[in-house]
Amino acid sequence: MKKIAVFASGSGSNFQALVDAAQANQLSYEIALLVCDKPGAYAIERADKVDVPSLVVSPKDFASKVDYEKEILQKLNDSGVELIVLAGYMRLIGETLLSAYEGRIVNIHPSLLPSFPGKDAIGQAFQAKVKVTGVTVHYVDEGMDTGPIIAQEAVRMDEDETRESLEAKIHQVEHLLYPNVIQKLCSTNRNV
Ligand code: GAR
């Protein structure tokens, strides 16, 4: 059983999907910790409800990003976390976590990268009127939504698509894809 930490900043529906998939099936990962950079985020409530410990840390309470990430790193080490799973964590990972968890940080992004990186990828794709967008899971490097791609799934944009309906379709795909990918990463003998 691999111990993972999920990092989230908002609603945490992907955190929930990872919890639900692990509960419904015998999966090879255990969520040891939720890390959240936004006090009051709904993700924290979700973690409480399923007894996953959470670390809530505001970057503004630290003198530097290095200090902020050192605090997180300490907790990850204490909890024996082997893989960091970003799920709507709206912050660039800095050198402290990147070097400690090299090749062991993954992210999910709501577009077919390298198209539409950064904020509001769903809105960007909607406005661009593309016919196909989707979801990407990738390893994290120092860039914004860059790093080697692990998996992608396409989502078709229908003629009468609204932003809301597109968002719902993307989230549906995310909630199946992410647990599958994390399960695969954790069940192989790779050093994640
Ligand atoms: C998800 O759609 C995720 O792909 C996106 O934030 C949302 C979080 O939703 N992440 C990014 O845009 C990262 N660049 P959630 O809090 O309900 O899981």
Side-chain angles (χ1 to χ4, degrees), residues 8-15 43 46 87-90 107-110 118-122 135 144-145 170-171 174-175:
S9 303
S11 151
S13 70
N14 280 285
F15 165 80
R46 292 187 193 265
Y89 181 70
M90 296 307 194
N107 180 43
I108 190 161
H109 184 77
K119 285 194 177 143
D120 192 23
I122 299 174
V135 175
M144 163 92 76
D145 301 319
I170 296 251
H171 283 147
E174 288 189 328
H175 297 163

Side-chain angles (χ1 to χ4, degrees), residues 109-154:
H109 184 77
S111 75
L112 293 177
L113 289 170
S115 292
F116 311 123
K119 285 194 177 143
D120 192 23
I122 299 174
Q124 290 184 55
F126 187 71
Q127 280 186 351
K129 297 190 169 60
V130 291
K131 295 286 182 202
V132 178
T133 181
V135 175
T136 303
V137 179
H138 64 95
Y139 287 108
V140 170
D141 61 14
E142 63 288 342
M144 163 92 76
D145 301 319
T146 53
I149 290 171
I150 304 169
Q152 289 187 305
E153 200 166 316

Side-chain angles (χ1 to χ4, degrees), residues 4-8 18 83-87 104-107 178 182:
I4 70 170
V6 177
F7 285 33
L18 287 158
L83 176 73
I84 296 177
V85 175
L86 307 184
R104 297 185 298 153
I105 309 178
V106 298
N107 180 43
Y178 217 12
I182 301 306

Side-chain angles (χ1 to χ4, degrees), residues 10 13 29 49 53 72 76 84 103 110 115 142-143 150 155 159 190:
S13 70
Y29 64 83
K49 277 193 191 135
I72 296 175
L76 296 177
I84 296 177
S115 292
E142 63 288 342
I150 304 169
V155 171
E159 289 295 324
R190 292 181 68 259

